Structures are given as structure tokens and as C-alpha cells.
Amino acid sequence: MARGTLRIYLGAAPGVGKTYAMLSEAHRRVERGTDCVVAFVEHHHRPRTEVMLHGLEQLPRREIEYRGGIFTEMDVDAVLRRAPKVALVDELAHTNVPGSRNTKRWQDVEELLAAGIDVISTVNIQHLESLGDVVESITGVRQRETVPDEVVRRADQIELVDMSPQALRRRMAHGNIYKPDKVDAALSNYFRPGNLTALRELALLWVADRVDAYLTEYRSEHRVSTIWGSRERIVVGLTGGPEGRTLIRRAARLAEKGAGGEVMAVYISRSDGLTAVSPKELALQRTLVEDLGGTFHQVVGDDIPAALLDFARGVNATQIVLGVSRRRSWQYVFGPGVGATVARESGPDLDVHLITHAEVGMGRGLPVARGARLGRSRVIGGWLAGVLGPFLLTWLLNSVVPDIGLANDMLLFLTLTVAAALLGGLLPALASAVVGSTLLNWFFTPPVHTLTIADPQNIVAIVVFVGVAVAVASVVDLAARRTHQAARLRAESEILSFLAGNVLRGETGLEDLLERVRETFGMESVALLERAGEKDPWTCAGSVGPRPATTPDAADVDVPVGDHMALSLRGRVLPAADRRVLAAFAAQAAVVVDRRRLKGEADRAEKLAEGNRIRTALLAAVSHDLRTPLAGIKAAVTSLRSDDVEWSEEDQAELLEAIEEGADRLDQLVGNLLDMSRLQTGTVAPVLRETDLDEVVPMALGGVPEDSVELDIPETLPMVHVDRGLLERAVANVVENAVKHSPPGEKVLVSASALANRVEVRVVDRGPGVPDEAKERIFEPFQRYGDSPRGVGVGLGLAVARGFTEALRGTVHAEDTPGGGLTMVLSVPMAPERLEQPALPATAGP
């Protein structure tokens, strides 16, 4: 039986219309005569979605009893018995109620697909498993229900259901997504414009990557080698010269002219060791292209035009941007250059732009960091000049300019030997001297056409010629080697200078440094290994690249750093000349590790300093704020103990009330100080369990007057997963702060609602409010902003509330109350068991 096909409607957030689009597709298929049924669709009491269910066959759901409640799930067996052509299954990431056939709904869908049933489903971008951390950093909400990315990627069709953040918020405000009592909380939290914009971008990028994967797969299956210009991808070929910045900016302007244009800068490095450019210049160009929204790539290849074209075709590029050659006019005798070669071999599907710049015709300069080895073309030229050149010169001297004298003949042959030395080094020059002396003896030294020499002076001349030729060749070869050695040393010094500057300034992390080592030497992977002692196992302090070495013995190249650290590289064996620079890299890597550890110690020292500051402030608070209630208590007690005054019952009651108020105030101050001490020392260990808010919040109001607070805690509110004592203390501090700043006669409203997988407690007052720039500062210890005449305390209430809330994996922040005042919002996680119940429409729906 053939496997069924899976079609997924993907949305950026709840409410964009995924379920509506799925039901519309079902109606279209039914009209075409397709056997289509609703296996499970959750309309969440949204009228427009509910209407779309009319006219479609709905299969009965399976009822499951769990913890005293009845829940409904998709009946997989009923769907398999019905065996429709197409089944609609909503909310692919849903977690089934315990006791169901499978744990997750996507596993139910897999069974239907295996039975040959086509499935249409829905999912939100925040439910993809790989994006959980990203979504949490954006929205502050951790998604409990997720689906593996591979399940969605395997779908035969993925359709994005898109809606602008403004339109989605309008739908929310009109009550088309959540019930009216949850709209305000949703708009001010999860459905903020910034959250929706970021989620929309995630969805668009994910779908775009999936489209690229489809295209790459299709091109591979159908062996399509030509470039398909589905969108503009511009490859910038960099040489490491200063003109690279001009090329990058020009490519960025070209990319801006087309929708979705992408810039990829690539530097082709040789395979024989160090790169042939200034690392500083290349780093500047890498930063520039990344600042302009592009990407930087470094590949290894000895044939630069071929490597550049292979890279461009591999990424399906449509354009290549190159700079006009920096060669001087006479240098073109050695070849047409990279630009001309790439333009000639690019083919009709790849445009090549040659950009003029200030370095045109300025010369290419000496090759940096290429070692003492001459280029292949120069060696070939040297051998041609040294072996074929003497024969050509002999023909010219015999045919064109005969009888110019033996001395002139020797000078011409000597010139040819010097040219061979300049081009190919010592060996071609020696070959030229041997061949040239033989031809001089045979054709130009009497008696000609024999190897004998009649005149002794000619013997001396031939010997001198050979000696001078060998000497000149040796000197020229030595000079070439010294030049290349100097160039290599200059390259090494530039690398080390730039490296040391970055490391000492703290601009390079360990991974960045190891990546620089990998790119510089063209290695597969680099790892920094360390161990505590000689017999201890090696551990990895940092690595880059695939399959890093786990021990120095497993590496192709290892450089020890001290007694207990080693830099290990995999890829190839490096020549001895490169190990000197590699040793410097290893030493700098050790410096980075040491600096990271020192930074950790500095952070700990900073925490100690912060603790000292807290203790100093604590002493100041004790010396003032604690003495005030103590002084009142002592005065009242002294008055009551006085024997020379007869106190009436009313006076005694008033003095006792003053003692009680002072004791309560003192108890509150001491409690906050002890709580802050626990937070600072990290000794807060919450015991998390399921708790009802309507049991916690009323207990937190014991320290405020009865008629100062209005409660609105629904009985149907889900249970929360918190430490009851810590939450009670946090709510108490926030409510007491709100009551203290509320005008006389105005009640503080304490309400609660559920949003996504969290429960929010909102404490609303009508006081003077707090400016935006001070909304975070009021949560710092010993901060009191705009205290009223009734204000007392050391400024720890809100700091303790935030500390306790964060210990419960929650958040607390301040917002403006519409119409004036301040609203404190405490958000705590919902109980895990409740997260699995399908009755909650928190994160699902169209």
C-alpha cells in the first residue's frame, strides 16, 4: 500500500487562519468528489471556523477519563476503519491525554499516513522543536508542546498562512481569537507587535529554507547543472586586497535591486599552507560583508577560477562580482587573469561583473606567505628558457646574425642562463649552463661541429662561462629564496600581530580563534585539549569543525602548550615551516582560556563586591528604618510601665495598638531583609507543586486593610506549578506596595487569567504611576521611588518579589494602568499536567 501524503498549513502564531484555510481546502476537495472527513478539528468556539465545519463529515472522537475529567481525542481506530481518501487533523504538535493510543498527535498522523490516508494538518512555527529556545527568547514563553522538525520537513506540501501583526492584533481585539476576558492580557504579552513580527520572520525564513531544500533536491535528482535564477545570489570573489571592500559594497547594491537578493563573499586560499593575504584586511572584509547582511566563505583550491565557478554553481548563484585585475600590462603575458577566465568559462546562466577600483594596474605585488616554492608557471618557463632557449638562440646566431664573435655569443648564452635562473631557479639555470656550453663548443668554438677545442684561450672562455653561469644562477636563486622567506616572515608577523592585538584586547573568543587557525591552515577541524595531570584524561576546552580530535595522538598535527594543554588539528600534515606560526596560535589559545577563567573569577569577585554593597546598605537600613518602629514600641511600653500616670482604658488600648503596629512593621522589615539575604546568597530552594491561585492570593492579603483590595480570581483558572510560600510572599509584597501608593478610597484590583502555558496575576493601582525609565529601577534593592507620606520600609519589597518570582521560573514587570496608575504583572508557569489537557486553547487554533 502506498504511503499517504501530508500537507501542512504553517502559521506564525495562533489566530492567523490555519484551521480556516484547512477547512476551505477540504470544501474544495469535497466539491471535486474527494472522500474527505474531519478526523479532529478544534474550532475553539470561533464562529467563522465553526461555520466552516458545516457540510463536512466529522468522525466521532474518543473519550478518555483522566483525573476525574472527561477529555476527547482523535479516534485513530475509527479513522482507519472509515479509511477516507483525505483526513483533516488539526494541531499536529498536540500532546494526547495519558491513556491515548500514542503520546503525540503527530504519531497518530504517522499511522494514518502509513495506512495510505492523505492527511491535512496545521502547526505553528513556535511548536517546531529546533526553534523552542529562539521562541522563548522572543516571547518569554517556553512551548511545552513541540513536534520534531523532521516530521514537518517530510511533509509533501507546506503552505504558509501569513497575516501581518497589525491585522492579527485587530482580529484579537475584535474577539475573533480569544474570549474577551483574555484579550487585554494577550495583546499586552504574547501578541505584542514585536513578538508577532519576530515570529512572522521566523516562519518566512523557515519556509524559504524549506523551498531551497526542495529546489536543491529536485536539481540533484534530475541532474540539473545549469543555474536557476529563482532569486538573485551574488558571489563576490575576494583576493584579500583593499579593493575587496569596494566589490562587497557594489554587490550589496546589486542585491538590493532584486527581492530577496543574497550576497556571498568567497576567498579562495591555496592548499599549501598559509593564506596569501593580510589577515587583517580579510577580517575587515569579513566584518563588512556580515554588516551588510551577507555571508563570508573561505574555500581551498589551487585553480582559482575553477574553484570560484564551482562554488558559485554549488550555491546556485546568478551573478559573480570580480575586480578588474591589478596586473600591470606586461604581466598579461603569463595568462589572461582570473577575471577573464571566469567570464569565459561561466556560461550563459551566470553573469560576471568586472568592477573597476582604485587598485587597477597597480601591480599584484609579491606573494605573501607562499614559502620558498616558486609558482608552477614560473618553473615551467624557467625550464623552457634553460633547455629550449639555447637551441633557439643557436639557430638565430647561425641563421640571422652569424659571425658576431665568440665573446658576444657567450654573453648572449649567459643572458639566457640568467633568465632561466630568474624564472625557474637554480636547476633550470644549471641545465641552461650545461646545454649552452655544449652548443657553444659544438657550433661556435673552432674546430666547429666537434667537441674538441683547438685554442687554449677558448677553453678558458668556456670554463669561465660555465662558472659565471653557475654563480649567477646560484645568486639569483638565493635572492629569490630570500625574497620569499622575507615575504613569508612578513605574512607571519602580520598574522601574529593581528592575532595578538585581538586576543589582548579581548575581541576574540576561543571558538573564533580556533576557526581562524582552521581557515588559515586549511584544516578540517581544530580542538584545544587540556588535562589536570599526566594521568588524567584529556578534555576539550573548545573545538571547531567536524570530528575534532579527542586526544593529541588522534590528530594529524598536535602542538603542546605547557605540560597539560595541546592544540590538535585534523586534515593534513603541515610542513615544519608552518608549525612555528601554529605554536604561536596555540600559545594565544592558552591565553584566551586563561583570560576566560580570569573573567569568571572577576565575575565572582564582582558578586562579592555586590554582596558587600548590599551589606552596607543593610546596615544603613538597620540603623534607620528598623530603629523607627523599635523606638515607637519602646516609647509605648515605657509609658505603660510608668507608675506616676494613670492611663485610661482608651489610652492603654491606643498604646497597645501602637506596639502592635510597630511590631508588625518590624516583622515585615525583618522578613524582607531575611528574604533579600536568601536571594543574595542563592539559598532559595523552591519546592514546586500544583497549587490553586485562589488558595494563595487571599492568604497574601493579610497585611493590608480588608477594604483596600478587590479580588477577581476565576475558579476555573488552571493550577500553577509553584512554591506556595514563595508565591504568597511575592504577591503580598506587590499588593502592599500597590496599596501604599493608591489614593485614599481607591481599591487595588488583583485579577488573574491564563495565557498560553502561563497564569498571570495583575495588581492594578490608581496611584501616581512610574515613568518608563524607572520601571526597572524600582525592582532593585533599596530603591524607593516617590514614596507617599505613608511610605515606610527599606525599598526591598519589589526586589524580593522579583527574586522569588524568578526562582519559580516566572517573571514580574511593571506596566502603565490605562487612565493612570501602575500595573504589576506576575507570570508563573502552569502545572505540567494541565499543559497536556486538550481543552485549553492557549497555543492552538487558526
Side-chain angles (χ1 to χ4, degrees):
M1 179 181 298
R3 179 181 172 87
T5 61
L6 175 61
R7 179 171 183 169
I8 293 178
Y9 287 93
L10 177 69
V16 295
K18 303 181 302 300
T19 304
Y20 191 92
M22 178 179 66
L23 294 173
S24 299
E25 175 65 19
H27 280 287
R28 285 192 291 270
R29 298 199 181 197
V30 169
E31 290 174 0
R32 294 196 299 265
T34 304
D35 183 15
C36 184
V37 302
V38 176
F40 188 96
V41 168
E42 188 64 66
H43 55 74
H44 298 296
H45 305 292
R46 298 170 187 171
R48 296 184 179 181
T49 306
E50 193 170 0
V51 168
M52 292 297 294
L53 287 169
H54 296 166
L56 297 176
E57 179 185 352
Q58 301 184 49
L59 297 182
R61 302 183 182 183
R62 181 187 177 191
E63 293 185 351
I64 301 176
E65 182 178 356
Y66 178 66
R67 293 196 173 185
I70 301 297
F71 302 94
T72 60
E73 293 287 1
M74 180 176 68
D75 192 337
V76 180
D77 291 327
V79 180
L80 293 175
R81 286 193 301 269
R82 173 63 174 75
K85 174 61 177 174
V86 179
L88 307 184
V89 183
D90 205 4
E91 302 177 11
L92 186 63
H94 171 76
T95 300
N96 294 328
V97 173
S100 301
R101 183 190 189 102
N102 296 303
T103 304
K104 305 288 289 188
R105 183 165 293 165
W106 64 264
Q107 296 171 329
D108 296 336
V109 169
E110 287 293 322
E111 285 196 38
L112 301 183
L113 294 173
I117 301 174
D118 296 342
V119 176
I120 304 178
S121 188
T122 64
V123 72
N124 281 329
I125 191 68
Q126 64 264 32
H127 294 301
L128 294 182
E129 199 168 74
S130 66
L131 299 179
D133 294 340
V134 179
V135 173
E136 183 179 12
S137 66
I138 293 172
T139 64
V141 177
R142 181 67 180 182
Q143 298 297 329
R144 303 292 180 181
E145 294 186 330
T146 60
V147 58
D149 288 44
E150 186 58 29
V151 174
V152 181
R153 290 184 182 276
R154 286 201 307 264
D156 299 274
Q157 298 180 60
I158 299 176
E159 182 173 334
L160 177 66
V161 182
D162 190 27
M163 180 177 289
S164 68
Q166 294 77 12
L168 184 56
R169 284 173 59 83
R170 283 196 299 271
R171 289 197 65 195
M172 175 70 72
H174 293 160
N176 294 333
I177 301 177
Y178 289 151
K179 294 181 180 179
D181 60 336
K182 294 180 172 60
V183 170
D184 290 338
L187 290 176
S188 60
N189 288 276
Y190 193 88
F191 284 81
R192 291 195 296 266
N195 288 359
L196 297 178
T197 302
L199 292 174
R200 187 188 188 196
E201 183 180 17
L202 273 180
L204 291 171
L205 291 174
W206 195 91
V207 173
D209 288 341
R210 185 59 187 143
V211 171
D212 280 345
Y214 275 133
L215 181 60
T216 302
E217 182 180 352
Y218 180 87
R219 285 165 53 87
S220 176
E221 290 178 353
H222 293 77
R223 299 180 180 179
V224 178
S225 58
T226 58
I227 292 173
W228 288 359
S230 53
R231 64 170 171 168
E232 294 295 337
R233 282 192 176 92
I234 303 174
V235 171
V236 185
L238 301 179
T239 65
E243 76 280 359
R245 283 171 273 178
T246 301
L247 304 183
I248 293 171
R249 294 188 180 97
R250 178 59 174 158
R253 291 196 295 271
L254 288 174
E256 290 175 357
K257 295 179 180 180
E262 183 180 356
V263 176
M264 291 173 283
V266 58
Y267 171 72
I268 312 294
S269 61
R270 301 279 186 178
S271 61
D272 57 350
L274 294 172
T275 58
V277 296
S278 166
K280 183 176 182 180
E281 180 62 34
L282 205 59
L284 292 175
Q285 294 176 17
R286 178 198 292 264
T287 302
L288 176 61
V289 70
E290 291 174 351
D291 290 342
L292 293 175
T295 56
F296 182 90
H297 306 268
Q298 184 166 345
V299 298
V300 177
D302 291 324
D303 189 343
I304 293 178
L308 184 60
L309 288 171
D310 288 343
F311 176 84
R313 293 191 175 100
V315 298
N316 200 32
T318 57
Q319 303 179 53
I320 295 180
V321 173
L322 297 173
V324 176
S325 179
R326 287 181 291 160
R327 291 180 172 190
R328 301 186 188 276
S329 301
W330 61 269
Q331 290 178 309
Y332 282 97
V333 300
F334 298 108
V338 174
T341 304
V342 170
R344 184 180 67 248
E345 299 179 1
S346 60
D349 52 356
L350 188 58
D351 298 333
V352 179
H353 301 268
L354 293 179
I355 308 300
T356 58
H357 50 84
E359 303 295 323
V360 173
M362 301 295 290
R364 298 175 62 183
L366 292 173
V368 181
R370 294 283 293 116
R373 189 173 66 87
L374 296 174
R376 181 180 179 184
S377 60
R378 288 187 58 180
V379 172
I380 294 176
W383 280 104
L384 291 176
V387 176
L388 298 183
F391 290 99
L392 179 60
L393 180 59
T394 300
W395 177 79
L396 289 174
L397 292 177
N398 283 325
S399 303
V400 181
V401 285
D403 301 328
I404 62 173
L406 182 60
N408 292 328
D409 294 337
M410 289 184 177
L411 289 176
L412 291 175
F413 276 98
L414 182 60
T415 302
L416 195 60
T417 302
V418 172
L422 290 173
L423 288 175
L426 180 60
L427 293 179
L430 294 177
S432 177
V434 172
V435 175
S437 61
T438 303
L439 293 177
L440 274 174
N441 187 6
W442 184 270
F443 288 100
F444 304 104
T445 306
V448 296
H449 302 128
T450 64
L451 294 178
T452 60
I453 302 176
D455 189 348
Q457 294 182 355
N458 292 337
I459 297 177
V460 175
I462 293 295
V463 173
V464 170
F465 165 76
V466 174
V468 171
V470 172
V472 170
S474 300
V475 171
V476 171
D477 181 72
L478 181 62
R481 291 179 182 275
R482 291 292 182 264
T483 299
H484 283 286
Q485 289 174 2
R488 181 183 183 85
L489 291 175
R490 186 181 70 179
E492 292 177 0
S493 64
E494 288 180 355
I495 292 174
L496 297 178
S497 175
F498 178 66
L499 172 66
N502 278 4
V503 171
L504 292 177
R505 289 191 301 268
E507 299 174 357
T508 302
L510 180 59
E511 285 71 23
D512 295 332
L513 179 61
L514 297 181
E515 180 64 26
R516 175 61 61 84
V517 175
R518 190 181 70 83
E519 290 184 353
T520 299
F521 294 95
M523 304 300 286
E524 179 183 351
S525 63
V526 180
L528 183 64
L529 306 177
E530 62 177 348
R531 59 181 178 180
E534 293 292 339
K535 297 183 179 180
D536 294 312
W538 290 96
T539 59
C540 182
S543 65
V544 294
R547 300 186 306 106
T550 56
T551 62
D553 295 336
D556 294 318
V557 179
D558 71 283
V559 178
V561 186
D563 296 331
H564 306 301
M565 190 175 291
L567 186 66
S568 302
L569 296 82
R570 271 185 171 175
R572 61 190 178 89
V573 178
L574 293 178
D578 288 346
R579 295 182 67 91
R580 181 174 63 252
V581 179
L582 190 58
F585 270 108
Q588 294 290 8
V591 171
V592 172
V593 173
D594 291 341
R595 190 183 69 243
R596 186 168 61 183
R597 290 171 178 166
L598 289 174
K599 186 177 183 302
E601 294 179 2
D603 291 340
R604 289 191 291 272
E606 184 177 354
K607 290 182 180 179
L608 292 176
E610 178 67 17
N612 288 333
R613 187 186 70 82
I614 294 294
R615 284 191 288 272
T616 301
L618 178 61
L619 291 175
V622 171
S623 65
H624 179 269
D625 296 274
L626 293 183
R627 292 181 58 147
T628 301
L630 282 175
I633 293 173
K634 182 174 178 58
V637 171
T638 302
S639 298
L640 288 173
R641 289 174 56 87
S642 176
D643 296 333
D644 55 352
V645 178
E646 286 290 337
W647 300 103
S648 65
E649 292 184 359
E650 294 180 357
D651 292 336
Q652 290 180 4
E654 184 176 350
L655 290 172
L656 290 173
E657 183 180 357
I659 294 173
E660 185 178 9
E661 289 180 356
D664 291 340
R665 190 182 308 167
L666 186 62
D667 178 69
Q668 180 183 2
L669 292 173
V670 172
N672 278 335
L673 289 171
L674 292 176
D675 290 338
M676 199 66 217
S677 175
R678 292 169 61 197
L679 290 171
Q680 292 294 329
T681 55
T683 57
V684 177
V687 180
L688 304 178
R689 55 171 59 95
E690 293 183 10
T691 304
D692 283 318
L693 271 184
D694 55 4
E695 297 178 0
V696 176
V697 175
M699 298 297 295
L701 307 182
V704 297
E706 294 183 1
D707 59 346
S708 62
V709 176
E710 177 183 349
L711 276 180
D712 181 16
I713 308 295
E715 295 182 358
T716 58
L717 206 63
M719 300 182 74
V720 293
H721 196 230
V722 296
D723 183 304
R724 181 169 178 170
L726 295 183
L727 180 60
E728 179 181 329
R729 187 66 177 167
V731 174
N733 283 4
V734 173
V735 172
E736 290 171 5
N737 182 77
V739 170
K740 181 175 62 176
H741 290 87
S742 292
E746 287 283 351
K747 290 187 178 182
V748 172
L749 173 62
V750 180
S751 63
S753 61
L755 176 63
N757 56 359
R758 304 182 76 81
V759 174
E760 289 187 345
V761 179
R762 305 177 74 87
V763 181
V764 183
D765 69 61
R766 295 292 179 179
V770 175
D772 291 339
E773 62 272 12
K775 282 187 172 63
E776 282 299 313
R777 195 167 64 248
I778 60 176
F779 291 100
E780 297 178 3
F782 304 103
Q783 296 290 326
R784 290 184 292 183
Y785 181 83
D787 282 344
S788 63
R790 291 176 291 152
V792 294
V794 294
L796 288 177
L798 294 182
V800 170
R802 169 166 281 189
F804 282 175
T805 306
E806 290 178 349
L808 301 176
R809 294 178 296 138
T811 60
V812 58
H813 65 277
E815 299 177 355
D816 291 327
T817 301
L822 193 67
T823 298
M824 291 289 182
V825 183
L826 288 85
S827 175
V828 292
M830 200 179 294
E833 289 78 4
R834 294 301 180 97
L835 292 177
E836 298 177 355
Q837 294 181 6
L840 296 177
T843 59

